[in-house]
Amino acid sequence: MMNNILLNVRDLHTFFHTPQGVIRAVNGVDFSITRGETVGLVGESGCGKSVTALSITRLIEPPGRIERGKVVFEDRNLLELSESEMRHIRGNRISIIFQEPLTSLNPVHRVRDQISECIRLHRTLSKRQALQLTVEMLGKVGIPDPEKRLQSYPHQMSGGMRQRVMIAMALSCNPEMIIADEPTTALDVTIQAQILDLMNKLKEETGLSILLITHDLGVVAEMAQSVIVMYAGRIVEYAKVHNLFNEPKHPYTLGLIESIPKLNGPIRGDRMLQAIPGMVPSLLELPEGCSFQKRCARRFDLCSEREPFLFQVESDHFVRCWYFGQP
């Protein structure tokens, strides 16, 4: 139902204008997120995942520029808002959790000051009320002895603890949506599992939506209801999570899934990981036609002549490949 859609991105183009040429980092992206849904956004480094997130929140800096498109959040096109209106949206209605907390947290300020400042920026609370809410949020994300941790600086905390602080800060203003950009990449496996369990628990409690950006398909399988696969600035497959893993359609998606190490099956000394042949094309010199054609075993003449559309192959399953449709 349309009225259940929280975020609707349509025909989003974000380019970087460099002396070497125009980098089409996000090149016509369309997707939506419903209320209470987690959507995984996956793909290799440089495919446009993080630029998509920064475009949604209007944090693109020169030489980058949002060329055209719509980002409709709660029936408002964010690309048409003034900067002051956008500042009210960021942190208040849409929060962001970045990959490495040390680059987001200020090293010379205590955790107490950073979270309470964020709260007071978006909510009309006194210093005492903001401090009390800070303690509550630190406890909510599983930080032991939160009153004591208020006095800590970021460098005095472990990586997992810092990530919990970032989640507490992101949730402190009761946002409708969180954008989590590789939130567990820098953490060891045990802490990663704890952070993912925490995000799932908080989502169930608050009903928020999550755009989860990652290169880890295992994380997507555990967390997401829908999956977007990006390649060279475009969405190449978009499906419900069970459809994508059970019946992947695009050759690139197939390659990603086949490259995951398998723990079951016979153990052989000659067993090798599957790899996608070739290299990702330069965004400065994208080939004519399909951007994946030179790495694809299915390619035929049309693939090098025209860019494929995003074809609907099943209900809620779309794939950008001429193998599944004709012009």
Side-chain angles (χ1 to χ4, degrees):
M1 294 173 59
M2 286 299 293
N3 59 4
N4 200 36
I5 292 177
L6 180 66
L7 178 75
N8 196 15
V9 177
R10 287 290 170 261
D11 197 33
L12 181 63
H13 292 73
T14 301
F15 297 168
F16 289 78
H17 299 264
T18 72
Q20 292 75 34
V22 178
I23 297 173
R24 294 169 171 80
V26 175
N27 197 11
V29 164
D30 299 89
F31 67 92
S32 60
I33 300 177
T34 59
R35 295 181 185 276
E37 181 183 28
T38 297
V39 174
L41 180 54
V42 303
E44 293 171 274
S45 296
C47 71
K49 305 188 301 294
S50 294
V51 176
T52 298
L54 294 173
S55 299
I56 290 170
T57 51
R58 296 236 325 248
L59 291 174
I60 297 294
E61 296 183 350
R65 187 170 70 211
I66 300 173
E67 302 289 334
R68 66 178 185 272
K70 290 184 177 182
V71 178
V72 179
F73 177 76
E74 294 184 323
D75 299 324
R76 302 174 73 192
N77 185 0
L78 302 186
L79 303 187
E80 295 178 348
L81 301 184
S82 66
E83 183 54 35
S84 62
E85 290 174 315
M86 196 62 215
R87 279 196 299 269
H88 178 74
I89 296 290
R90 290 190 215 106
N92 194 25
R93 310 308 297 156
I94 303 175
S95 292
I96 308 175
I97 303 170
F98 291 107
Q99 176 176 344
E100 177 44 67
L102 273 181
T103 63
S104 303
L105 295 171
N106 193 319
V108 300
H109 291 291
R110 299 180 193 274
V111 165
R112 172 194 64 195
D113 301 322
Q114 298 192 55
I115 300 180
S116 60
E117 180 185 5
C118 176
I119 292 171
R120 296 194 70 206
L121 181 65
H122 295 289
R123 301 176 68 174
T124 54
L125 298 178
S126 66
K127 285 186 178 181
R128 176 175 292 183
Q129 289 171 323
L131 190 60
Q132 182 180 352
L133 182 56
T134 299
V135 173
E136 291 176 9
M137 294 308 303
L138 291 179
K140 193 171 186 178
V141 299
I143 292 181
D145 198 2
E147 292 87 353
K148 182 179 178 181
R149 282 297 181 182
L150 285 176
Q151 308 304 321
S152 298
Y153 290 95
H155 71 273
Q156 296 174 318
M157 309 177 86
S158 67
M161 202 74 77
R162 288 193 294 266
Q163 196 61 281
R164 288 173 187 268
V165 169
M166 288 297 299
I167 295 173
M169 190 180 298
L171 292 172
S172 62
C173 294
N174 296 322
E176 292 291 324
M177 187 175 82
I178 284 180
I179 298 174
D181 191 354
E182 302 275 9
T184 59
T185 298
L187 306 176
D188 64 52
V189 175
T190 304
I191 303 302
Q192 180 184 83
Q194 292 176 5
I195 295 298
L196 294 177
D197 287 344
L198 171 64
M199 290 177 66
N200 265 334
K201 178 184 176 184
L202 294 173
K203 176 193 164 186
E204 291 174 3
E205 291 176 355
T206 63
L208 56 81
S209 302
I210 301 174
L211 177 61
L212 177 63
I213 300 170
T214 182
H215 63 273
D216 190 332
L217 289 173
V219 170
V220 169
E222 181 179 345
M223 294 282 291
Q225 287 78 58
S226 300
V227 191
I228 299 165
V229 182
M230 285 191 73
Y231 183 80
R234 287 186 180 274
I235 292 174
V236 295
E237 191 157 2
Y238 182 17
K240 295 297 182 183
V241 66
H242 58 274
N243 289 341
L244 188 103
F245 283 96
N246 292 332
E247 297 183 60
K249 303 294 186 185
H250 197 280
Y252 177 62
T253 309
L254 283 163
L256 289 179
I257 293 174
E258 289 174 356
S259 68
I260 300 173
K262 306 295 189 299
L263 297 181
N264 57 348
I267 298 176
R268 304 194 311 269
D270 62 343
R271 186 169 65 186
M272 300 288 289
L273 289 178
Q274 297 295 315
I276 302 174
M279 299 289 291
V280 179
S282 167
L283 295 180
L284 284 167
E285 298 177 358
L286 289 172
E288 291 290 325
C290 176
S291 56
F292 191 68
Q293 58 174 286
K294 294 183 179 179
R295 308 176 72 185
C296 182
R298 289 180 180 168
R299 65 182 179 270
F300 50 98
D301 290 345
L302 185 59
C303 302
S304 60
E305 296 169 1
R306 295 180 60 183
E307 171 71 30
F309 305 110
L310 198 61
F311 296 104
Q312 183 172 1
V313 292
E314 295 173 8
S315 175
D316 297 322
H317 198 151
F318 301 83
V319 58
R320 189 181 299 277
C321 180
W322 285 124
Y323 186 83
F324 295 95
Q326 296 294 326

